[in-house]
Amino acid sequence: MRTARLLTTAALAVASAGLLAPPAAAAALVAGGGLEVFPSTVAPGTTVTVNTTACGSDGTATGDASAVGAGTFTLAPSTHEENAIGQFKVPSSAQPGTYEIVAKCSGADSGGKEVAGDLVVTITSTAAAEQRVAPKGHVKTGVGGALGPDPVQTTAGVAALAVAAAGGTWLLHRRARGDRI
C-alpha cells in the first residue's frame, strides 16, 4: 500500500512537471530569440506580422516565407527594445498546412543567427469561425407556433386554450358563489 502511494505520487509529480515544461520551453525560445508569428493561424490572403529579439538592438533580418509562397521580406528594428519586426501577405493560392517561416539576422551584433517559427494556414480564418450565425426559420418543436407550417393545428390549439380558459372561469365563478361541483 505504501509503495503504491509512493509510485502514484512520483507519477503525478512527473506528469505535473511534464505539463509545466512546454510553456516554459516556449517562453525560453521567444526570450532567447525565436521568431514570433502573429497570427499563427491564418486564412489565405491574410497579412502576417513576425518579430524576433535574436538580432540584437540595431539588428535587421531577412525573412523567408517562400515555403508558403510569399517570398522574402525585411525585418527592421522597431520601437520596442531589441525587436526586429516585418510583415508579409499569405498568397490567396496558399494551401492548408503548417509552414516554417525563417529569418536570418544581418546586424553586426547578431552573428548571422537564424530563427524560425511556424505558420498554420487554414481554409477559413479563426475570426470567421467565431462569427455568430443568426437563426432563421421557425422552431421545430412539435405542433407548431402561431406562424407554424400547419394552420389547422394552430387553430385547434387556440380553440383548446379558449375552452380551457372558459372552463376555468366557470369553475372559479361557481366556487365564488359557493356552489359545489
Side-chain angles (χ1 to χ4, degrees):
M1 173 83 172
R2 189 169 188 204
T3 304
R5 186 178 298 160
L6 284 172
L7 288 175
T8 303
T9 304
L12 287 173
V14 169
S16 297
L19 289 175
L20 294 176
L29 177 64
V30 172
L35 188 67
E36 184 179 323
V37 180
F38 182 79
S40 61
T41 302
V42 297
T46 305
T47 299
V48 177
T49 301
V50 295
N51 61 33
T52 184
T53 58
C55 299
S57 59
D58 292 327
T60 59
T62 302
D64 183 11
S66 59
V68 74
T72 60
F73 59 98
T74 303
L75 283 82
S78 74
T79 56
H80 299 306
E81 187 176 325
E82 297 187 10
N83 204 5
I85 189 168
Q87 290 184 330
F88 65 92
K89 185 174 182 176
V90 177
S92 58
S93 62
Q95 296 297 312
T98 302
Y99 298 94
E100 183 178 52
I101 308 302
V102 180
K104 186 170 185 175
C105 297
S106 56
D109 302 2
S110 68
K113 192 181 293 184
E114 191 170 291
V115 290
D118 286 338
L119 174 69
V120 178
V121 177
T122 61
I123 294 174
T124 59
S125 70
T126 53
E130 291 174 358
Q131 289 179 348
R132 303 280 183 222
V133 176
K136 57 185 173 185
H138 65 277
V139 179
K140 296 177 181 164
T141 58
V143 178
L147 300 174
D150 189 2
V152 174
Q153 288 181 344
T154 303
T155 304
V158 169
L161 286 173
V163 169
T169 303
W170 178 70
L171 286 174
L172 287 174
H173 178 68
R174 283 191 58 158
R175 185 174 179 185
R177 284 191 342 197
D179 295 342
R180 292 273 184 203
I181 299 177

